[in-house]
Amino acid sequence: MDDDYRRLADRIADDIVAGRLRPGERLPPQRAFARRRGIAGSTAGRVYGELVRRGLVVGEVGRGTFVRAAPHAPAGRALAEPAVNTEVTAVNLELNYPSAPGQSELLAPALAPLLRPDVLTEALRPAPATGTAEARSAAAGLLATPGWRPDPDGVLFTGNARQSIAAALASLVRPGGRVGVEVLTYPLVKEIADRLGITLVPLAMDEDGLRPDALVAAHRTAPLSALYVQPTLHNPTSVTMRDMRKLELAGVVRDLGLPVVEDRIWSFLTEVGEPLAAHVPELAHVVDGLSKRVAPGLTVGFLVVPPDRAEAVASAVRSGGWSAGRFALEAGVRWVEDGTVARLVAAKRADAARRQRLLARELAAAGGAVRSDPNAYYAWWELPASWRADTFTAAAAAHGIAVTPGNAFAVGPQRVPDAVRLGLASAPEAELERALRTLAAIARRGRTAP
């Protein structure tokens, strides 16, 4: 029985090599695969793990498992790839965790006092969703903009921003409810919605972000329970709404009485405009966190809610097991108060700007349309007409580079452009430069799969 998963992996491997499963093709979700085969979910996980180990598929959290280019597929079956320089270290441009030079040295001093036995005992106790008065005040100051300062009484804490999204939606939407989202959205929101039994309704966008008329039309078709939106440095397109669009959207939201979950996780990179929450504080649930500002390993999620909703949302945080760790919360407060977070933000803004200049230089002649913001840590690349997103993703993987295909961000059956998102934050700068140069060569010389 222990060899069953290997035999199943062998069958899928045969299909890949024979061309019956093509490069870039997505395998079924593991649960669906298990149901079809009549096997346990754990066995399905071992099958997929074996395929990853053999280098036949690429699996990434939030988007699925995709077939890589088969090394010995028969002619005419596999992706025809361009002859480019393949001397590039494996680079993951799906991950997007920025790190500033000397970051650990900046973070360490605030942790030292927490390691004293008397302080550590208290820091290792459970933390409530409301944190402490000191933490709420520090978070309110950190998140404030020239046109908006959150009420500390409405600040809650979770383990990370993803958990803040989950808690906000769980508190606002019953299973079976409908939530409006941009037609391209953060992939993990789709996973959160699936777990909560929520239906996501895609809303059209333009060059200025979410279209208010699309929100009105969707709500008129069948009432929405909430709206999830990224008005600042939208992921993946990096669009930031202009103030006029925010005012228009705020007016529509107020007229509909529709709660809003506003994701501002990347907003620290820009000083453009104020949040949507400044215009509809009575409806806005603002999500943010320390993972991008500081580091992903010891982080805290922020959730700013209207004060009259604090208890309901705190209850959702508790029931979901999404509370922040007390140690991380204490460390985060110290980093905010001693200026460490501000210094890291300044360093990461400068780093993002350098990487955007690198992107513009390396992809200038690659073809297609690269859409980004000079302050963003990612770019949305609408590929040259000769490429499909799935085949380009597979070609990039064959050269040791992981990129995210556009359909990972798509909601519903709507066709999205043949595009990929490039995460610029995680790879060392020299590796990023080589990877971008290789991707540009693939784009220039490639052709679609037969």
Side-chain angles (χ1 to χ4, degrees), residues 363-371 380-393 415 417-420 422 439-449:
L363 298 189
V370 179
R371 305 183 187 281
W380 180 247
W381 185 8
E382 295 184 3
L383 298 165
S386 59
W387 280 104
R388 297 197 311 269
D390 55 354
T391 52
F392 185 86
T393 300
R415 187 184 183 282
D418 280 304
V420 295
L422 305 177
L439 292 176
I442 294 172
R444 285 194 301 268
R445 304 178 196 177
R447 54 184 179 271
T448 56

PDB file of all heavy atoms in Angstrom, residues 363-371 380-393 415 417-420 422 439-449:
ATOM      1  N   LEU A 363      13.401  44.859 -19.190  1.00  0.00           N
ATOM      2  CA  LEU A 363      12.252  44.450 -20.003  1.00  0.00           C
ATOM      3  C   LEU A 363      11.866  45.483 -21.053  1.00  0.00           C
ATOM      4  O   LEU A 363      10.843  45.342 -21.719  1.00  0.00           O
ATOM      5  CB  LEU A 363      11.043  44.162 -19.103  1.00  0.00           C
ATOM      6  CG  LEU A 363      11.190  43.028 -18.078  1.00  0.00           C
ATOM      7  CD1 LEU A 363       9.844  42.724 -17.433  1.00  0.00           C
ATOM      8  CD2 LEU A 363      11.766  41.773 -18.712  1.00  0.00           C
ATOM      9  N   ALA A 364      12.706  46.503 -21.236  1.00  0.00           N
ATOM     10  CA  ALA A 364      12.372  47.589 -22.160  1.00  0.00           C
ATOM     11  C   ALA A 364      12.107  47.089 -23.570  1.00  0.00           C
ATOM     12  O   ALA A 364      11.216  47.597 -24.266  1.00  0.00           O
ATOM     13  CB  ALA A 364      13.488  48.638 -22.166  1.00  0.00           C
ATOM     14  N   ALA A 365      12.875  46.101 -24.020  1.00  0.00           N
ATOM     15  CA  ALA A 365      12.734  45.623 -25.400  1.00  0.00           C
ATOM     16  C   ALA A 365      12.162  44.210 -25.451  1.00  0.00           C
ATOM     17  O   ALA A 365      12.291  43.522 -26.468  1.00  0.00           O
ATOM     18  CB  ALA A 365      14.098  45.659 -26.100  1.00  0.00           C
ATOM     19  N   ALA A 366      11.504  43.770 -24.378  1.00  0.00           N
ATOM     20  CA  ALA A 366      11.024  42.392 -24.318  1.00  0.00           C
ATOM     21  C   ALA A 366       9.695  42.196 -25.022  1.00  0.00           C
ATOM     22  O   ALA A 366       9.306  41.068 -25.321  1.00  0.00           O
ATOM     23  CB  ALA A 366      10.908  41.942 -22.859  1.00  0.00           C
ATOM     24  N   GLY A 367       8.975  43.278 -25.267  1.00  0.00           N
ATOM     25  CA  GLY A 367       7.663  43.166 -25.888  1.00  0.00           C
ATOM     26  C   GLY A 367       6.560  43.097 -24.856  1.00  0.00           C
ATOM     27  O   GLY A 367       6.799  42.922 -23.661  1.00  0.00           O
ATOM     28  N   GLY A 368       5.325  43.223 -25.322  1.00  0.00           N
ATOM     29  CA  GLY A 368       4.203  43.247 -24.406  1.00  0.00           C
ATOM     30  C   GLY A 368       4.121  44.582 -23.694  1.00  0.00           C
ATOM     31  O   GLY A 368       4.727  45.579 -24.112  1.00  0.00           O
ATOM     32  N   ALA A 369       3.373  44.619 -22.616  1.00  0.00           N
ATOM     33  CA  ALA A 369       3.188  45.853 -21.849  1.00  0.00           C
ATOM     34  C   ALA A 369       3.447  45.579 -20.381  1.00  0.00           C
ATOM     35  O   ALA A 369       2.759  44.765 -19.763  1.00  0.00           O
ATOM     36  CB  ALA A 369       1.774  46.391 -22.042  1.00  0.00           C
ATOM     37  N   VAL A 370       4.446  46.234 -19.828  1.00  0.00           N
ATOM     38  CA  VAL A 370       4.760  46.099 -18.409  1.00  0.00           C
ATOM     39  C   VAL A 370       4.068  47.230 -17.662  1.00  0.00           C
ATOM     40  O   VAL A 370       4.328  48.404 -17.915  1.00  0.00           O
ATOM     41  CB  VAL A 370       6.278  46.149 -18.153  1.00  0.00           C
ATOM     42  CG1 VAL A 370       6.563  46.019 -16.664  1.00  0.00           C
ATOM     43  CG2 VAL A 370       6.984  45.053 -18.926  1.00  0.00           C
ATOM     44  N   ARG A 371       3.172  46.855 -16.746  1.00  0.00           N
ATOM     45  CA  ARG A 371       2.412  47.851 -15.995  1.00  0.00           C
ATOM     46  C   ARG A 371       2.832  47.775 -14.529  1.00  0.00           C
ATOM     47  O   ARG A 371       2.749  46.714 -13.919  1.00  0.00           O
ATOM     48  CB  ARG A 371       0.911  47.593 -16.131  1.00  0.00           C
ATOM     49  CG  ARG A 371       0.464  47.523 -17.586  1.00  0.00           C
ATOM     50  CD  ARG A 371      -1.035  47.335 -17.727  1.00  0.00           C
ATOM     51  NE  ARG A 371      -1.410  47.107 -19.111  1.00  0.00           N
ATOM     52  CZ  ARG A 371      -1.530  48.057 -20.042  1.00  0.00           C
ATOM     53  NH1 ARG A 371      -1.298  49.316 -19.700  1.00  0.00           N
ATOM     54  NH2 ARG A 371      -1.875  47.765 -21.273  1.00  0.00           N
ATOM     55  N   TRP A 380       2.990  43.856 -13.387  1.00  0.00           N
ATOM     56  CA  TRP A 380       2.028  43.079 -14.156  1.00  0.00           C
ATOM     57  C   TRP A 380       2.463  43.154 -15.615  1.00  0.00           C
ATOM     58  O   TRP A 380       2.447  44.204 -16.222  1.00  0.00           O
ATOM     59  CB  TRP A 380       0.634  43.678 -13.971  1.00  0.00           C
ATOM     60  CG  TRP A 380      -0.495  43.010 -14.682  1.00  0.00           C
ATOM     61  CD1 TRP A 380      -1.232  43.541 -15.701  1.00  0.00           C
ATOM     62  CD2 TRP A 380      -1.074  41.734 -14.400  1.00  0.00           C
ATOM     63  NE1 TRP A 380      -2.224  42.669 -16.079  1.00  0.00           N
ATOM     64  CE2 TRP A 380      -2.157  41.552 -15.291  1.00  0.00           C
ATOM     65  CE3 TRP A 380      -0.786  40.722 -13.489  1.00  0.00           C
ATOM     66  CZ2 TRP A 380      -2.947  40.402 -15.300  1.00  0.00           C
ATOM     67  CZ3 TRP A 380      -1.561  39.584 -13.496  1.00  0.00           C
ATOM     68  CH2 TRP A 380      -2.627  39.424 -14.383  1.00  0.00           C
ATOM     69  N   TRP A 381       2.897  42.020 -16.163  1.00  0.00           N
ATOM     70  CA  TRP A 381       3.463  41.993 -17.511  1.00  0.00           C
ATOM     71  C   TRP A 381       2.471  41.325 -18.457  1.00  0.00           C
ATOM     72  O   TRP A 381       2.277  40.106 -18.398  1.00  0.00           O
ATOM     73  CB  TRP A 381       4.786  41.239 -17.495  1.00  0.00           C
ATOM     74  CG  TRP A 381       5.546  41.232 -18.790  1.00  0.00           C
ATOM     75  CD1 TRP A 381       5.284  41.940 -19.930  1.00  0.00           C
ATOM     76  CD2 TRP A 381       6.734  40.487 -19.055  1.00  0.00           C
ATOM     77  NE1 TRP A 381       6.211  41.680 -20.897  1.00  0.00           N
ATOM     78  CE2 TRP A 381       7.118  40.782 -20.380  1.00  0.00           C
ATOM     79  CE3 TRP A 381       7.496  39.597 -18.311  1.00  0.00           C
ATOM     80  CZ2 TRP A 381       8.246  40.205 -20.975  1.00  0.00           C
ATOM     81  CZ3 TRP A 381       8.617  39.021 -18.893  1.00  0.00           C
ATOM     82  CH2 TRP A 381       8.990  39.333 -20.216  1.00  0.00           C
ATOM     83  N   GLU A 382       1.833  42.122 -19.302  1.00  0.00           N
ATOM     84  CA  GLU A 382       0.988  41.584 -20.358  1.00  0.00           C
ATOM     85  C   GLU A 382       1.912  41.160 -21.495  1.00  0.00           C
ATOM     86  O   GLU A 382       2.556  41.980 -22.140  1.00  0.00           O
ATOM     87  CB  GLU A 382      -0.043  42.618 -20.800  1.00  0.00           C
ATOM     88  CG  GLU A 382      -1.024  42.952 -19.676  1.00  0.00           C
ATOM     89  CD  GLU A 382      -2.125  43.913 -20.095  1.00  0.00           C
ATOM     90  OE1 GLU A 382      -2.164  44.296 -21.298  1.00  0.00           O
ATOM     91  OE2 GLU A 382      -2.935  44.285 -19.234  1.00  0.00           O
ATOM     92  N   LEU A 383       1.983  39.859 -21.721  1.00  0.00           N
ATOM     93  CA  LEU A 383       3.026  39.252 -22.541  1.00  0.00           C
ATOM     94  C   LEU A 383       2.864  39.582 -24.024  1.00  0.00           C
ATOM     95  O   LEU A 383       1.768  39.933 -24.478  1.00  0.00           O
ATOM     96  CB  LEU A 383       3.005  37.737 -22.343  1.00  0.00           C
ATOM     97  CG  LEU A 383       3.293  37.267 -20.912  1.00  0.00           C
ATOM     98  CD1 LEU A 383       2.890  35.810 -20.743  1.00  0.00           C
ATOM     99  CD2 LEU A 383       4.766  37.461 -20.566  1.00  0.00           C
ATOM    100  N   PRO A 384       3.948  39.435 -24.797  1.00  0.00           N
ATOM    101  CA  PRO A 384       3.836  39.574 -26.244  1.00  0.00           C
ATOM    102  C   PRO A 384       2.783  38.610 -26.799  1.00  0.00           C
ATOM    103  O   PRO A 384       2.522  37.550 -26.217  1.00  0.00           O
ATOM    104  CB  PRO A 384       5.242  39.211 -26.743  1.00  0.00           C
ATOM    105  CG  PRO A 384       6.137  39.477 -25.579  1.00  0.00           C
ATOM    106  CD  PRO A 384       5.327  39.157 -24.354  1.00  0.00           C
ATOM    107  N   ALA A 385       2.191  38.955 -27.928  1.00  0.00           N
ATOM    108  CA  ALA A 385       1.071  38.187 -28.482  1.00  0.00           C
ATOM    109  C   ALA A 385       1.430  36.735 -28.767  1.00  0.00           C
ATOM    110  O   ALA A 385       0.552  35.873 -28.843  1.00  0.00           O
ATOM    111  CB  ALA A 385       0.567  38.866 -29.752  1.00  0.00           C
ATOM    112  N   SER A 386       2.713  36.433 -28.940  1.00  0.00           N
ATOM    113  CA  SER A 386       3.122  35.065 -29.273  1.00  0.00           C
ATOM    114  C   SER A 386       3.080  34.128 -28.069  1.00  0.00           C
ATOM    115  O   SER A 386       3.294  32.928 -28.220  1.00  0.00           O
ATOM    116  CB  SER A 386       4.540  35.071 -29.846  1.00  0.00           C
ATOM    117  OG  SER A 386       5.452  35.624 -28.911  1.00  0.00           O
ATOM    118  N   TRP A 387       2.798  34.662 -26.882  1.00  0.00           N
ATOM    119  CA  TRP A 387       2.855  33.841 -25.666  1.00  0.00           C
ATOM    120  C   TRP A 387       1.506  33.750 -24.983  1.00  0.00           C
ATOM    121  O   TRP A 387       0.753  34.726 -24.936  1.00  0.00           O
ATOM    122  CB  TRP A 387       3.852  34.426 -24.659  1.00  0.00           C
ATOM    123  CG  TRP A 387       5.278  34.098 -24.948  1.00  0.00           C
ATOM    124  CD1 TRP A 387       6.214  34.926 -25.484  1.00  0.00           C
ATOM    125  CD2 TRP A 387       5.930  32.846 -24.727  1.00  0.00           C
ATOM    126  NE1 TRP A 387       7.411  34.275 -25.602  1.00  0.00           N
ATOM    127  CE2 TRP A 387       7.269  32.992 -25.142  1.00  0.00           C
ATOM    128  CE3 TRP A 387       5.508  31.624 -24.207  1.00  0.00           C
ATOM    129  CZ2 TRP A 387       8.195  31.962 -25.069  1.00  0.00           C
ATOM    130  CZ3 TRP A 387       6.417  30.597 -24.130  1.00  0.00           C
ATOM    131  CH2 TRP A 387       7.753  30.773 -24.561  1.00  0.00           C
ATOM    132  N   ARG A 388       1.209  32.561 -24.451  1.00  0.00           N
ATOM    133  CA  ARG A 388       0.145  32.396 -23.487  1.00  0.00           C
ATOM    134  C   ARG A 388       0.769  32.393 -22.094  1.00  0.00           C
ATOM    135  O   ARG A 388       1.915  31.988 -21.915  1.00  0.00           O
ATOM    136  CB  ARG A 388      -0.612  31.083 -23.700  1.00  0.00           C
ATOM    137  CG  ARG A 388      -1.325  30.980 -25.034  1.00  0.00           C
ATOM    138  CD  ARG A 388      -2.364  29.855 -24.978  1.00  0.00           C
ATOM    139  NE  ARG A 388      -1.834  28.605 -24.438  1.00  0.00           N
ATOM    140  CZ  ARG A 388      -1.281  27.637 -25.178  1.00  0.00           C
ATOM    141  NH1 ARG A 388      -1.182  27.799 -26.490  1.00  0.00           N
ATOM    142  NH2 ARG A 388      -0.848  26.530 -24.610  1.00  0.00           N
ATOM    143  N   ALA A 389      -0.014  32.808 -21.114  1.00  0.00           N
ATOM    144  CA  ALA A 389       0.530  32.907 -19.756  1.00  0.00           C
ATOM    145  C   ALA A 389       0.987  31.558 -19.228  1.00  0.00           C
ATOM    146  O   ALA A 389       2.040  31.460 -18.577  1.00  0.00           O
ATOM    147  CB  ALA A 389      -0.510  33.509 -18.815  1.00  0.00           C
ATOM    148  N   ASP A 390       0.225  30.478 -19.517  1.00  0.00           N
ATOM    149  CA  ASP A 390       0.602  29.175 -18.963  1.00  0.00           C
ATOM    150  C   ASP A 390       1.880  28.647 -19.588  1.00  0.00           C
ATOM    151  O   ASP A 390       2.748  28.096 -18.909  1.00  0.00           O
ATOM    152  CB  ASP A 390      -0.543  28.174 -19.113  1.00  0.00           C
ATOM    153  CG  ASP A 390      -1.025  28.021 -20.546  1.00  0.00           C
ATOM    154  OD1 ASP A 390      -0.556  28.767 -21.435  1.00  0.00           O
ATOM    155  OD2 ASP A 390      -1.895  27.151 -20.778  1.00  0.00           O
ATOM    156  N   THR A 391       2.033  28.825 -20.908  1.00  0.00           N
ATOM    157  CA  THR A 391       3.244  28.317 -21.549  1.00  0.00           C
ATOM    158  C   THR A 391       4.466  29.159 -21.183  1.00  0.00           C
ATOM    159  O   THR A 391       5.569  28.634 -21.041  1.00  0.00           O
ATOM    160  CB  THR A 391       3.070  28.266 -23.077  1.00  0.00           C
ATOM    161  OG1 THR A 391       2.619  29.534 -23.554  1.00  0.00           O
ATOM    162  CG2 THR A 391       2.059  27.202 -23.467  1.00  0.00           C
ATOM    163  N   PHE A 392       4.266  30.463 -21.006  1.00  0.00           N
ATOM    164  CA  PHE A 392       5.385  31.304 -20.587  1.00  0.00           C
ATOM    165  C   PHE A 392       5.821  30.930 -19.171  1.00  0.00           C
ATOM    166  O   PHE A 392       7.020  30.854 -18.881  1.00  0.00           O
ATOM    167  CB  PHE A 392       5.002  32.781 -20.637  1.00  0.00           C
ATOM    168  CG  PHE A 392       6.151  33.708 -20.342  1.00  0.00           C
ATOM    169  CD1 PHE A 392       7.017  34.107 -21.351  1.00  0.00           C
ATOM    170  CD2 PHE A 392       6.391  34.160 -19.059  1.00  0.00           C
ATOM    171  CE1 PHE A 392       8.092  34.943 -21.084  1.00  0.00           C
ATOM    172  CE2 PHE A 392       7.457  34.994 -18.773  1.00  0.00           C
ATOM    173  CZ  PHE A 392       8.312  35.388 -19.791  1.00  0.00           C
ATOM    174  N   THR A 393       4.845  30.665 -18.298  1.00  0.00           N
ATOM    175  CA  THR A 393       5.168  30.259 -16.927  1.00  0.00           C
ATOM    176  C   THR A 393       5.977  28.967 -16.924  1.00  0.00           C
ATOM    177  O   THR A 393       6.951  28.822 -16.173  1.00  0.00           O
ATOM    178  CB  THR A 393       3.872  30.082 -16.110  1.00  0.00           C
ATOM    179  OG1 THR A 393       3.163  31.320 -16.089  1.00  0.00           O
ATOM    180  CG2 THR A 393       4.175  29.645 -14.685  1.00  0.00           C
ATOM    181  N   ARG A 415     -12.172  35.806 -18.913  1.00  0.00           N
ATOM    182  CA  ARG A 415     -10.833  35.658 -19.464  1.00  0.00           C
ATOM    183  C   ARG A 415      -9.982  36.862 -19.050  1.00  0.00           C
ATOM    184  O   ARG A 415     -10.426  38.001 -19.111  1.00  0.00           O
ATOM    185  CB  ARG A 415     -10.882  35.564 -20.993  1.00  0.00           C
ATOM    186  CG  ARG A 415      -9.526  35.233 -21.603  1.00  0.00           C
ATOM    187  CD  ARG A 415      -9.567  35.229 -23.126  1.00  0.00           C
ATOM    188  NE  ARG A 415      -8.285  34.852 -23.680  1.00  0.00           N
ATOM    189  CZ  ARG A 415      -7.238  35.667 -23.768  1.00  0.00           C
ATOM    190  NH1 ARG A 415      -7.331  36.914 -23.337  1.00  0.00           N
ATOM    191  NH2 ARG A 415      -6.093  35.244 -24.280  1.00  0.00           N
ATOM    192  N   PRO A 417      -6.071  38.859 -19.373  1.00  0.00           N
ATOM    193  CA  PRO A 417      -4.990  38.964 -20.352  1.00  0.00           C
ATOM    194  C   PRO A 417      -3.927  37.894 -20.116  1.00  0.00           C
ATOM    195  O   PRO A 417      -3.751  37.404 -18.999  1.00  0.00           O
ATOM    196  CB  PRO A 417      -4.424  40.366 -20.102  1.00  0.00           C
ATOM    197  CG  PRO A 417      -5.506  41.109 -19.397  1.00  0.00           C
ATOM    198  CD  PRO A 417      -6.254  40.092 -18.600  1.00  0.00           C
ATOM    199  N   ASP A 418      -3.236  37.514 -21.188  1.00  0.00           N
ATOM    200  CA  ASP A 418      -2.093  36.610 -21.030  1.00  0.00           C
ATOM    201  C   ASP A 418      -0.965  37.414 -20.395  1.00  0.00           C
ATOM    202  O   ASP A 418      -0.196  38.107 -21.079  1.00  0.00           O
ATOM    203  CB  ASP A 418      -1.686  36.031 -22.386  1.00  0.00           C
ATOM    204  CG  ASP A 418      -2.591  34.884 -22.796  1.00  0.00           C
ATOM    205  OD1 ASP A 418      -2.708  33.928 -22.015  1.00  0.00           O
ATOM    206  OD2 ASP A 418      -3.205  34.961 -23.876  1.00  0.00           O
ATOM    207  N   ALA A 419      -0.919  37.326 -19.077  1.00  0.00           N
ATOM    208  CA  ALA A 419       0.004  38.149 -18.305  1.00  0.00           C
ATOM    209  C   ALA A 419       0.579  37.336 -17.168  1.00  0.00           C
ATOM    210  O   ALA A 419       0.041  36.294 -16.778  1.00  0.00           O
ATOM    211  CB  ALA A 419      -0.719  39.388 -17.762  1.00  0.00           C
ATOM    212  N   VAL A 420       1.680  37.808 -16.621  1.00  0.00           N
ATOM    213  CA  VAL A 420       2.272  37.221 -15.421  1.00  0.00           C
ATOM    214  C   VAL A 420       2.584  38.342 -14.447  1.00  0.00           C
ATOM    215  O   VAL A 420       2.823  39.487 -14.840  1.00  0.00           O
ATOM    216  CB  VAL A 420       3.567  36.429 -15.731  1.00  0.00           C
ATOM    217  CG1 VAL A 420       3.266  35.221 -16.600  1.00  0.00           C
ATOM    218  CG2 VAL A 420       4.620  37.316 -16.392  1.00  0.00           C
ATOM    219  N   LEU A 422       5.256  39.607 -11.701  1.00  0.00           N
ATOM    220  CA  LEU A 422       6.652  39.448 -11.290  1.00  0.00           C
ATOM    221  C   LEU A 422       6.814  40.059  -9.906  1.00  0.00           C
ATOM    222  O   LEU A 422       6.629  41.266  -9.724  1.00  0.00           O
ATOM    223  CB  LEU A 422       7.591  40.140 -12.275  1.00  0.00           C
ATOM    224  CG  LEU A 422       7.457  39.736 -13.748  1.00  0.00           C
ATOM    225  CD1 LEU A 422       8.416  40.566 -14.604  1.00  0.00           C
ATOM    226  CD2 LEU A 422       7.722  38.250 -13.936  1.00  0.00           C
ATOM    227  N   LEU A 439      14.132  36.237 -18.661  1.00  0.00           N
ATOM    228  CA  LEU A 439      12.715  36.324 -19.028  1.00  0.00           C
ATOM    229  C   LEU A 439      12.528  37.177 -20.286  1.00  0.00           C
ATOM    230  O   LEU A 439      11.699  36.859 -21.146  1.00  0.00           O
ATOM    231  CB  LEU A 439      11.912  36.913 -17.871  1.00  0.00           C
ATOM    232  CG  LEU A 439      11.793  36.051 -16.616  1.00  0.00           C
ATOM    233  CD1 LEU A 439      11.043  36.814 -15.518  1.00  0.00           C
ATOM    234  CD2 LEU A 439      11.094  34.729 -16.909  1.00  0.00           C
ATOM    235  N   ALA A 440      13.284  38.252 -20.389  1.00  0.00           N
ATOM    236  CA  ALA A 440      13.184  39.096 -21.582  1.00  0.00           C
ATOM    237  C   ALA A 440      13.606  38.323 -22.827  1.00  0.00           C
ATOM    238  O   ALA A 440      12.982  38.441 -23.898  1.00  0.00           O
ATOM    239  CB  ALA A 440      14.054  40.342 -21.412  1.00  0.00           C
ATOM    240  N   ALA A 441      14.663  37.515 -22.698  1.00  0.00           N
ATOM    241  CA  ALA A 441      15.114  36.717 -23.842  1.00  0.00           C
ATOM    242  C   ALA A 441      14.074  35.673 -24.231  1.00  0.00           C
ATOM    243  O   ALA A 441      13.825  35.434 -25.426  1.00  0.00           O
ATOM    244  CB  ALA A 441      16.449  36.040 -23.501  1.00  0.00           C
ATOM    245  N   ILE A 442      13.455  35.041 -23.232  1.00  0.00           N
ATOM    246  CA  ILE A 442      12.391  34.074 -23.523  1.00  0.00           C
ATOM    247  C   ILE A 442      11.254  34.761 -24.261  1.00  0.00           C
ATOM    248  O   ILE A 442      10.732  34.241 -25.254  1.00  0.00           O
ATOM    249  CB  ILE A 442      11.879  33.430 -22.214  1.00  0.00           C
ATOM    250  CG1 ILE A 442      12.960  32.575 -21.568  1.00  0.00           C
ATOM    251  CG2 ILE A 442      10.636  32.576 -22.478  1.00  0.00           C
ATOM    252  CD1 ILE A 442      12.590  32.076 -20.175  1.00  0.00           C
ATOM    253  N   ALA A 443      10.854  35.920 -23.783  1.00  0.00           N
ATOM    254  CA  ALA A 443       9.734  36.638 -24.398  1.00  0.00           C
ATOM    255  C   ALA A 443      10.035  37.040 -25.840  1.00  0.00           C
ATOM    256  O   ALA A 443       9.176  36.940 -26.717  1.00  0.00           O
ATOM    257  CB  ALA A 443       9.401  37.881 -23.574  1.00  0.00           C
ATOM    258  N   ARG A 444      11.259  37.476 -26.095  1.00  0.00           N
ATOM    259  CA  ARG A 444      11.616  37.945 -27.454  1.00  0.00           C
ATOM    260  C   ARG A 444      11.683  36.806 -28.451  1.00  0.00           C
ATOM    261  O   ARG A 444      11.267  36.946 -29.599  1.00  0.00           O
ATOM    262  CB  ARG A 444      12.959  38.674 -27.417  1.00  0.00           C
ATOM    263  CG  ARG A 444      12.912  40.064 -26.822  1.00  0.00           C
ATOM    264  CD  ARG A 444      14.190  40.826 -27.128  1.00  0.00           C
ATOM    265  NE  ARG A 444      15.358  40.147 -26.594  1.00  0.00           N
ATOM    266  CZ  ARG A 444      15.881  40.380 -25.406  1.00  0.00           C
ATOM    267  NH1 ARG A 444      15.295  41.253 -24.578  1.00  0.00           N
ATOM    268  NH2 ARG A 444      16.956  39.743 -24.987  1.00  0.00           N
ATOM    269  N   ARG A 445      12.205  35.652 -28.017  1.00  0.00           N
ATOM    270  CA  ARG A 445      12.491  34.579 -28.975  1.00  0.00           C
ATOM    271  C   ARG A 445      11.473  33.449 -28.934  1.00  0.00           C
ATOM    272  O   ARG A 445      11.548  32.506 -29.717  1.00  0.00           O
ATOM    273  CB  ARG A 445      13.867  33.984 -28.688  1.00  0.00           C
ATOM    274  CG  ARG A 445      14.960  35.037 -28.703  1.00  0.00           C
ATOM    275  CD  ARG A 445      16.310  34.421 -28.367  1.00  0.00           C
ATOM    276  NE  ARG A 445      17.290  35.429 -28.008  1.00  0.00           N
ATOM    277  CZ  ARG A 445      18.528  35.167 -27.622  1.00  0.00           C
ATOM    278  NH1 ARG A 445      18.926  33.898 -27.533  1.00  0.00           N
ATOM    279  NH2 ARG A 445      19.367  36.129 -27.326  1.00  0.00           N
ATOM    280  N   GLY A 446      10.529  33.532 -27.990  1.00  0.00           N
ATOM    281  CA  GLY A 446       9.611  32.417 -27.823  1.00  0.00           C
ATOM    282  C   GLY A 446       8.510  32.387 -28.860  1.00  0.00           C
ATOM    283  O   GLY A 446       8.323  33.293 -29.672  1.00  0.00           O
ATOM    284  N   ARG A 447       7.761  31.301 -28.819  1.00  0.00           N
ATOM    285  CA  ARG A 447       6.580  31.147 -29.644  1.00  0.00           C
ATOM    286  C   ARG A 447       5.602  30.265 -28.891  1.00  0.00           C
ATOM    287  O   ARG A 447       5.996  29.506 -27.999  1.00  0.00           O
ATOM    288  CB  ARG A 447       6.911  30.523 -30.997  1.00  0.00           C
ATOM    289  CG  ARG A 447       7.665  29.192 -30.932  1.00  0.00           C
ATOM    290  CD  ARG A 447       8.010  28.758 -32.346  1.00  0.00           C
ATOM    291  NE  ARG A 447       8.746  27.513 -32.344  1.00  0.00           N
ATOM    292  CZ  ARG A 447      10.050  27.401 -32.262  1.00  0.00           C
ATOM    293  NH1 ARG A 447      10.780  28.505 -32.158  1.00  0.00           N
ATOM    294  NH2 ARG A 447      10.655  26.235 -32.297  1.00  0.00           N
ATOM    295  N   THR A 448       4.339  30.341 -29.205  1.00  0.00           N
ATOM    296  CA  THR A 448       3.354  29.577 -28.477  1.00  0.00           C
ATOM    297  C   THR A 448       3.515  28.092 -28.716  1.00  0.00           C
ATOM    298  O   THR A 448       4.045  27.661 -29.733  1.00  0.00           O
ATOM    299  CB  THR A 448       1.934  29.988 -28.911  1.00  0.00           C
ATOM    300  OG1 THR A 448       1.837  29.827 -30.322  1.00  0.00           O
ATOM    301  CG2 THR A 448       1.648  31.412 -28.533  1.00  0.00           C
ATOM    302  N   ALA A 449       3.041  27.318 -27.758  1.00  0.00           N
ATOM    303  CA  ALA A 449       3.088  25.872 -27.894  1.00  0.00           C
ATOM    304  C   ALA A 449       2.171  25.441 -29.024  1.00  0.00           C
ATOM    305  O   ALA A 449       1.150  26.056 -29.271  1.00  0.00           O
ATOM    306  CB  ALA A 449       2.653  25.217 -26.584  1.00  0.00           C
TER     307      ALA A 449
END
